[in-house]
Amino acid sequence: MNCQDFREKMFLYPEVDEEFFTHLRNCDECRREFEEFLEIEKKLKEKVNEEDEIVREWDRVYIKVINTLRYEKIKRQVYIFILLLLEVFIFSLVFIIRYRLVRFFIQNPSLFVLTLKSLFQIFSQFNFYLFVILLLVFIYQTTKLHGKYK
């Protein structure tokens, strides 16, 4: 085998024949080239492994961010659901109280009208405050979420 044949077969390493190794033992120049080839191949493998490690790290970070965002979204939805349930409960309670008061004050129409106006005013104010509280909680949660990822 001559040096030119060796150089061509070098890129097929490790699937080479015995003639390749015989020439490698006898030719110093080809041995030096082969050592450089192995060193370059080793550095390339290390570089690929480093890049794979970086990709795996980014995958871990991505999964962690996605899971955190999903958790925050579910938490916000639960807060809104609880506040809406609270509003429905309060509305029902006001309706029941109004119904009982109407039955109780049915004998005196002027007292009934006064009571009804008062209850509607109280309910309107309370409903407004509940809306403001819901809005503030939503704003707090949103700013808290954005503050986490700055």
Side-chain angles (χ1 to χ4, degrees):
M1 173 181 285
N2 61 25
C3 291
Q4 181 63 31
D5 291 338
F6 178 84
R7 287 185 188 98
E8 290 174 7
K9 287 188 175 185
M10 181 170 60
F11 293 102
L12 300 175
Y13 179 80
E15 299 167 4
V16 292
D17 56 4
E18 186 62 35
E19 191 178 350
F20 175 83
F21 290 110
T22 305
H23 182 79
L24 183 63
R25 282 189 291 265
N26 296 331
C27 180
D28 290 335
E29 182 182 336
C30 290
R31 188 177 319 122
R32 190 175 55 253
E33 284 183 33
F34 185 68
E35 288 173 358
E36 288 175 6
F37 169 77
L38 290 178
E39 186 177 322
I40 290 171
E41 187 179 43
K42 180 182 175 185
K43 288 180 181 180
L44 285 173
K45 285 181 181 178
E46 289 174 358
K47 190 69 170 170
V48 167
N49 288 338
E50 288 175 10
E51 289 175 0
D52 286 346
E53 185 67 29
I54 291 170
V55 168
R56 283 193 297 273
E57 183 64 29
W58 275 110
D59 287 344
R60 283 192 292 268
V61 169
Y62 175 78
I63 289 170
K64 186 176 180 180
V65 167
I66 291 297
N67 288 338
T68 303
L69 289 174
R70 285 181 184 153
Y71 171 75
E72 291 295 330
K73 180 182 176 185
I74 291 170
K75 193 167 80 171
R76 193 169 44 249
Q77 289 172 341
V78 167
Y79 284 147
I80 291 171
F81 181 74
I82 289 172
L83 287 172
L84 287 174
L85 282 178
L86 180 65
E87 186 172 357
V88 167
F89 173 75
I90 291 171
F91 177 77
S92 300
L93 187 65
V94 168
F95 182 77
I96 290 170
I97 291 172
R98 191 182 84 197
Y99 175 74
R100 289 182 180 246
L101 285 175
V102 167
R103 276 189 36 206
F104 182 73
F105 294 117
I106 200 79
Q107 293 94 8
N108 191 345
S110 64
L111 189 56
F112 169 72
V113 170
L114 181 62
T115 304
L116 192 59
K117 285 181 180 180
S118 299
L119 283 176
F120 277 128
Q121 186 176 9
I122 290 170
F123 176 71
S124 297
Q125 289 174 352
F126 185 77
N127 201 13
F128 171 75
Y129 290 128
L130 188 60
F131 170 76
V132 169
I133 290 171
L134 177 67
L135 184 63
L136 289 175
V137 167
F138 179 75
I139 290 171
Y140 171 74
Q141 288 296 320
T142 304
T143 56
K144 182 178 170 187
L145 179 67
H146 289 304
K148 241 182 203 183
Y149 300 109
K150 281 189 175 180

